Amino acid sequence: MAPNANAVSLSRTESFESVCREIHDSLGEEKRLVQVLVGLSQAECRKVRETYMELYGEDLVQKFDPGLQFLLCLMLDPFERDAVFARESLHGNNSVNYKALVEIFTCRKSSHVLLILQAYHAKYRSQLDLDIASIEPPHPYQKQMLMALSASHKAHHADVSQHIAKCDARRLFQTGEGRPGAIDEAVVLEIFSKRSIGQLKLTFFSYKHIYGHSYTSFLKNEDSGEFEDAVRVVVKCICSPPRYYAEALYGCLKGTTNDKAALVRVMVSRTEVDMDEIRCNFKKKYGVELKNVICETTPEGNHRDFLVALATKTSTC
């Protein structure tokens, strides 16, 4: 399928009602439904869902066949979608998805994180940070890191300070590569829990400026253990989300298993944020276009059409 072929794009004169009628008439025609919905912005998709309910008295997502449940992600507000992702990351497949939770805490705007916490509580009648405290991820250090990040949202409205960044960078150095022995885990967790994501990003920039190499380089050069691995994921997410997501997508597509859930989570959450940058990083690092790898590794069908459409929705590269 050519990317976005025959996709619907709402104009000022075209009503949401007409799109809903087209969708209603296309129920059962899975390919056409995918074409229609991926051609809309996510805000438009949410409006279509509301309008469909007004016209037909039914929730559109309930009309989707099981094979089209991935379209549900387009219908939710971003913070509601992330609340669902967080819940699935904690309780899905009998294993905690550490990376997915790190993405939510580090790659979202501060105001968005607070809305996620509210949406999570409203939907599941539980506090996300308390649920994190009760989990048992594959590695204990992952739990400690997630608890630190969940606490850091309280500092999201704090001003970013160059002085604090330099001081924290020096503390990280002095309690890490600047001394013999293992990294001081308590210092790292303390800094992560008390600083906003913006402040942490400035700290890692200062670290590289002062010491001539990135903090992740130090972690990678060490005899990496579970703690260093957990920290490295967080730092990569904070410092360069597009690069992190490019690597994550490649891992999903070319890894030992095709992780459909991770593919949908990344593609939907980033397509209207920084997909152009992710696509550029992907091509620069791996020498191939993201859409080509999707086509190469994903079986032909509606799911592949969905992913390709999201990967090619805009282009600046």
Side-chain angles (χ1 to χ4, degrees):
M1 183 190 86
N4 294 332
N6 300 316
V8 172
S9 178
L10 290 182
S11 66
R12 292 180 182 273
T13 59
E14 188 174 19
S15 68
F16 288 103
E17 288 86 351
S18 65
V19 175
C20 288
R21 292 189 181 95
E22 180 178 2
I23 291 174
H24 186 73
D25 293 340
S26 300
L27 289 174
E29 300 177 24
E30 295 184 354
K31 187 171 184 177
R32 181 57 185 157
L33 287 174
V34 173
Q35 291 173 344
V36 169
L37 290 173
V38 298
L40 307 178
S41 70
Q42 293 180 22
E44 288 171 337
C45 284
R46 294 192 294 274
K47 181 62 178 177
V48 165
R49 184 184 184 186
E50 295 172 5
T51 305
Y52 193 94
M53 175 65 78
E54 294 171 0
L55 286 175
Y56 300 104
E58 297 177 298
D59 189 347
L60 178 57
V61 300
Q62 300 299 323
K63 306 294 289 184
F64 294 154
D65 292 332
L68 292 178
Q69 285 301 302
F70 53 83
L71 292 176
L72 170 63
C73 297
L74 299 176
M75 300 289 177
L76 299 176
D77 283 313
F79 55 87
E80 293 176 321
R81 184 174 63 230
D82 280 338
V84 173
F85 287 155
R87 185 74 171 188
E88 292 175 347
S89 299
L90 286 169
H91 301 288
N93 299 322
N94 299 317
S95 178
V96 176
N97 191 329
Y98 173 70
K99 290 184 177 180
L101 290 165
V102 169
E103 291 168 17
I104 289 172
F105 281 118
T106 61
C107 298
R108 309 301 192 254
K109 293 181 179 180
S110 57
S111 57
H112 187 100
V113 172
L114 296 177
L115 290 172
I116 293 170
L117 299 177
Q118 294 170 12
Y120 188 95
H121 182 261
K123 185 173 182 64
Y124 302 111
R125 300 301 176 188
S126 180
Q127 300 287 352
L128 179 54
D129 56 347
L130 295 180
D131 283 355
I132 288 173
S134 68
I135 63 173
E136 293 300 332
H139 305 298
Y141 292 123
Q142 293 180 348
K143 178 176 180 177
Q144 295 176 340
M145 189 60 61
L146 290 172
M147 290 179 66
L149 292 175
S150 69
S152 73
H153 78 87
K154 299 175 184 178
H156 277 172
H157 296 292
D159 293 333
V160 174
S161 166
Q162 185 72 53
H163 174 70
I164 291 176
K166 290 179 179 178
C167 290
D168 285 348
R170 291 191 175 96
R171 284 189 72 197
L172 289 173
F173 179 84
Q174 292 165 0
T175 58
E177 64 179 310
R179 71 167 195 169
I183 187 174
D184 191 327
E185 299 158 6
V187 171
V188 175
L189 291 170
E190 177 193 350
I191 291 175
F192 274 48
S193 65
K194 292 184 177 180
R195 306 296 187 229
S196 69
I197 299 304
Q199 184 66 57
L200 288 171
K201 186 171 184 177
L202 185 58
T203 293
F204 298 128
F205 176 83
S206 297
Y207 192 101
K208 185 174 183 179
H209 179 74
I210 295 170
Y211 300 108
H213 57 267
S214 68
Y215 188 57
T216 52
S217 296
F218 151 64
L219 295 172
K220 196 171 184 179
N221 289 333
E222 284 290 290
D223 294 329
S224 294
E226 295 173 359
F227 183 76
E228 288 81 6
D229 290 342
V231 174
R232 190 163 60 247
V233 171
V234 175
V235 178
K236 289 172 70 173
C237 280
I238 291 174
C239 291
S240 181
R243 186 185 308 166
Y244 165 83
Y245 280 117
E247 293 176 359
L249 286 173
Y250 189 84
C252 291
L253 292 165
K254 301 289 281 188
T256 54
T257 59
N258 190 319
D259 191 340
K260 289 185 177 181
L263 280 172
V264 171
R265 183 184 74 248
V266 172
M267 298 296 290
V268 173
S269 64
R270 309 312 292 187
T271 189
E272 295 181 6
V273 180
D274 54 3
M275 184 55 68
D276 286 335
E277 295 177 75
I278 292 170
R279 191 164 51 247
C280 288
N281 275 271
F282 192 97
K283 185 175 183 180
K284 181 178 180 180
K285 185 173 180 64
Y286 303 109
V288 290
E289 296 285 355
L290 173 58
K291 65 178 181 179
N292 292 341
V293 178
I294 291 174
C295 290
E296 175 191 337
T297 59
T298 307
E300 185 176 356
N302 295 313
H303 188 261
R304 187 175 80 175
D305 292 346
F306 173 76
L307 295 173
V308 170
L310 292 181
T312 59
K313 206 163 189 178
T314 59
S315 179
T316 59
C317 301

